[in-house]
Amino acid sequence: MKYSIARVFFFSLILAVLGACANDELTPYYDQRTQEPGKVVIQGYNAMIDSVQIAVNGKFIEIGKAKNNTAFVKKIEKNYEFVFFENEVKTFVITNKRTKVILGTYQFTTQEPNSSLYFYVKEDLWLDSAEFLKPGTLSQSGYAGFKFIFPSVNKYSASGYTGSLDGIITKNNGQLLGVAENINKSTPSSFIEFPYSTPTGIKMELVKHGTTESYIPGKKVIVSLTMTNNKSKYIVLEEKQDLNGAFSGVEGVINLADYFSF
């Protein structure tokens, strides 16, 4: 009887050790491989109806305090800590949970054990990288600032123009406030700032870079904006369509600075 109890205890101990080794976030006691701690700061915002999942080397990250919750909508902020074994590569894959469509894939190695992963997603829009999502820094108090990106340019207008755009920003009375240069679909424009004043409503005319010519032949394109005192905005411009599917204008409603902490 004593021998049987000892044997049961021994096998229970072995199973417990094997169970610990199966968890990627734990350091196996008997694993002799070189180990190095790693950390990825994740900041994301999902504006889609569908939820999003993040897998690391095939294992879904749990989000929030609820166990087995691997799907999220809206805002996510998580410091994901793990262990690199020798020259292991950690592959992060972000997918739409319902459709299984891969939205982004990222790899992290021991060359940068402490890294970050930023992204914003909505239907037909994916933006990532902290550098691209970060708003401009105001040079002084009492100013308002703007930066722009235009992922959907030509989606409905089909203008045929593929170069960068400039945004000529004026007050509603026509007073020029400045020009945001090199607005395009994949990288942020130049940062522009100017003194805050009232009324807060301003407008921006989109033209071909270095000209005053609209990027859509024969049609002036105006975006309505609002300046905020002591705030820098990073606006995502979006082409819109009417009920018949025709181009109806450009909106600047999404402000990426509202979704991230830098």
Side-chain angles (χ1 to χ4, degrees):
M1 178 64 70
K2 291 182 180 179
Y3 172 76
S4 298
I5 293 174
R7 184 170 58 181
V8 170
F9 175 78
F10 174 76
F11 281 112
S12 298
L13 178 62
I14 293 297
L15 290 174
V17 170
L18 291 176
C21 293
N23 191 330
D24 183 55
E25 296 188 56
L26 297 178
T27 304
Y29 184 76
Y30 294 108
D31 198 316
Q32 300 302 309
R33 292 177 294 172
T34 301
Q35 300 170 11
E36 184 174 344
K39 177 180 177 180
V40 174
V41 176
I42 304 172
Q43 287 202 44
Y45 193 89
N46 172 25
M48 299 190 301
I49 297 176
D50 297 331
S51 58
V52 167
Q53 292 179 304
I54 305 173
V56 182
N57 289 6
K59 178 183 176 182
F60 288 120
I61 294 177
E62 291 187 356
I63 298 160
K65 296 181 180 180
K67 190 170 180 59
N68 298 321
N69 176 23
T70 63
F72 77 91
V73 293
K74 298 186 178 180
K75 191 169 187 176
I76 175 175
E77 292 183 335
K78 186 175 183 68
N79 294 335
Y80 183 71
E81 298 180 340
F82 49 86
V83 174
F84 285 108
F85 292 102
E86 296 181 349
N87 295 319
E88 182 183 20
V89 176
K90 293 291 186 180
T91 302
F92 285 58
V93 179
I94 306 172
T95 59
N96 180 310
K97 183 180 180 181
R98 182 180 64 83
T99 66
K100 309 305 179 185
V101 170
I102 295 177
L103 303 170
T105 301
Y106 308 87
Q107 292 187 328
F108 300 94
T109 68
T110 53
Q111 292 182 349
E112 292 186 63
N114 295 308
S115 303
S116 60
L117 176 56
Y118 288 73
F119 64 90
Y120 177 94
V121 60
K122 68 185 291 287
E123 280 71 14
D124 300 321
L125 175 63
W126 173 265
L127 296 170
D128 62 5
S129 173
E131 181 62 29
F132 284 176
L133 298 176
K134 188 175 182 179
T137 302
L138 295 173
S139 64
Q140 56 187 296
S141 179
Y143 268 48
F146 288 90
K147 211 162 49 168
F148 302 92
I149 194 167
F150 199 175
S152 65
V153 61
N154 288 322
K155 181 176 182 179
Y156 302 117
S157 65
S159 71
Y161 177 72
T162 58
S164 294
L165 303 174
D166 291 343
I168 303 173
I169 302 177
T170 61
K171 290 186 175 182
N172 289 330
N173 63 7
Q175 178 187 345
L176 178 66
L177 294 173
V179 179
E181 297 184 329
N182 293 312
I183 300 172
N184 60 65
K185 67 190 311 177
S186 58
T187 56
S189 70
S190 63
F191 175 62
I192 181 171
E193 61 177 344
F194 38 80
Y196 170 83
S197 61
T198 56
T200 59
I202 56 178
K203 59 184 180 181
M204 179 173 70
E205 181 179 359
L206 292 174
V207 298
K208 296 178 181 179
H209 176 58
T211 75
T212 57
E213 178 185 351
S214 174
Y215 80 99
I216 301 178
K219 186 177 182 66
K220 183 176 286 191
V221 181
I222 302 294
V223 183
S224 296
L225 301 169
T226 304
M227 57 178 160
T228 304
N229 192 22
N230 295 321
K231 186 169 184 179
S232 175
K233 297 184 177 182
Y234 188 174
I235 301 296
V236 179
L237 300 174
E238 296 182 280
E239 285 196 349
K240 296 297 182 178
Q241 62 178 337
D242 59 22
L243 295 177
N244 297 317
F247 172 77
S248 61
V250 176
E251 289 184 352
V253 176
I254 299 172
N255 175 24
L256 295 176
D258 290 338
Y259 301 106
F260 301 96
S261 301
F262 294 98

